[in-house]
Amino acid sequence: MAGWFTRTIVETNRLPLFCFFAGFIVTFAFIRFSVRMIRANVKWWPGNVTPGGHHIHHVVFGVIFMIVAGVTGFALNTDNGAANAVFAGIFGLGSALVLDEFSLILHLDDVYWSEKGRTSIDAVFIAVAFTGLLLLGIRPIGVDNFTEARAAGESTLTTWLVGTAALVLNFLLAGITLIKGKIWTGLIGLFLPILILVGAIRLARPHSPWARWRYQRDKPRAQRKMTRAVERERRLRGPMIAGKDWLQNMIAGRPDAPTSSTD
């Protein structure tokens, strides 16, 4: 195990990224455990930070950690691998605190335990998957062209054109896939192009911007596409969403039952 870690992480200069990933995972696990203890009114667990009766959300501490780690890292601009790993770990800690309350930032309201709060868990899952792929050495298509050319001391026009074209095409397809409402497919597809190729070609999800622009027009073809999209959402996406909700509830806790009042 130590040999694998040295070859895969240390010798490939991914130690800072690993520390970011580890800091992110550990902090997210801790903060979710903490808020679930607070929600359950466990007496021996410290409660919320409320100086003067004002509840300070942990996103505030996350922003502070991110600024401290980022600014310090930029200011020192050191080649010391250990120092960079420490800064990256602190940045990962702050990122976990911020993304765990991403839904509060998005809605500018305390929706942490509501259905809207699931957005935070989606953001955390995406960040973990994105960072995990980078940690394994999987990079977006086109990036390797620039990296290999720089390592070989080359700077030919052909190399740069091919790399640029691949990146532009990759991000264009990813953008179309995201607009079609396929968030996971669009982001992970940056690393696995077959996903965004399929995602960009196939039908959009019925509530996506693409569906609103293209499928709600008063034309038979557009209406048929919307009907197919709704049916596919019910038949295929329904079980997947139910499984995702189950996993999120197990990790992060079940949201409060909706009430008649608005958030």
Side-chain angles (χ1 to χ4, degrees):
M1 186 66 180
W4 174 87
F5 184 84
T6 301
R7 292 191 304 272
T8 308
I9 304 299
V10 178
E11 294 180 356
T12 56
N13 298 318
R14 294 182 205 148
L15 183 59
L17 184 61
F18 173 81
C19 290
F20 170 89
F21 187 71
F24 188 97
I25 294 291
V26 171
T27 303
F28 173 71
F30 170 79
I31 200 62
R32 273 291 161 171
F33 175 79
S34 177
V35 295
R36 293 183 72 170
M37 292 295 100
I38 295 172
R39 189 188 193 192
N41 294 317
V42 177
K43 294 182 179 180
W44 52 268
W45 188 258
N48 293 312
V49 179
T50 55
H54 180 70
H55 178 198
I56 299 180
H57 290 278
H58 49 266
V59 63
V60 176
F61 300 102
V63 170
I64 293 173
F65 279 121
M66 290 175 69
I67 291 175
V68 169
V71 172
T72 304
F74 290 140
L76 294 182
N77 192 25
T78 178
D79 292 330
N80 187 314
N84 291 334
V86 170
F87 297 144
I90 296 174
F91 197 88
L93 185 157
S95 299
L97 295 177
V98 170
L99 288 187
D100 186 59
E101 293 197 321
F102 175 78
S103 57
L104 278 71
I105 303 172
L106 179 64
H107 298 285
L108 293 180
D109 196 5
D110 191 354
V111 295
Y112 193 85
W113 289 116
S114 73
E115 191 69 25
K116 293 179 180 178
R118 289 184 182 275
T119 308
S120 295
I121 310 304
D122 289 334
V124 168
F125 282 6
I126 290 172
V128 169
F130 200 84
T131 308
L133 289 171
L134 289 173
L135 193 59
L136 292 174
I138 304 174
R139 288 174 287 188
I141 300 300
V143 173
D144 286 338
N145 293 74
F146 299 108
T147 304
E148 292 171 3
R150 187 171 62 249
E154 300 176 357
S155 58
T156 63
L157 180 62
T158 302
T159 301
W160 285 97
L161 287 177
V162 170
T164 300
L167 278 176
V168 170
L169 179 61
N170 205 22
F171 279 96
L172 177 62
L173 291 174
I176 294 173
T177 305
L178 291 172
I179 293 173
K180 286 190 171 185
K182 306 169 186 179
I183 307 300
W184 275 96
T185 303
L187 294 176
I188 304 303
L190 288 171
F191 301 89
L192 304 173
I194 187 63
L195 292 179
I196 52 175
L197 181 60
V198 173
I201 294 174
R202 292 178 67 84
L203 282 172
R205 298 186 63 188
H207 302 296
S208 66
W210 185 281
R212 290 197 299 271
W213 299 335
R214 306 278 297 180
Y215 301 167
Q216 292 185 355
R217 294 180 295 179
D218 190 19
K219 294 183 178 180
R221 184 179 179 184
Q223 294 174 357
R224 287 196 300 270
K225 285 189 174 182
M226 177 59 82
T227 301
R228 288 170 53 203
V230 171
E231 173 60 22
R232 179 171 294 176
E233 185 82 3
R234 182 194 64 80
R235 181 168 50 88
L236 299 179
R237 297 282 305 179
M240 294 173 59
I241 293 174
K244 186 195 73 170
D245 289 346
W246 174 84
L247 180 62
Q248 289 183 341
N249 291 340
M250 182 181 66
I251 294 174
R254 186 177 299 276
D256 294 331
T259 61
S260 57
S261 61
T262 57
D263 289 324

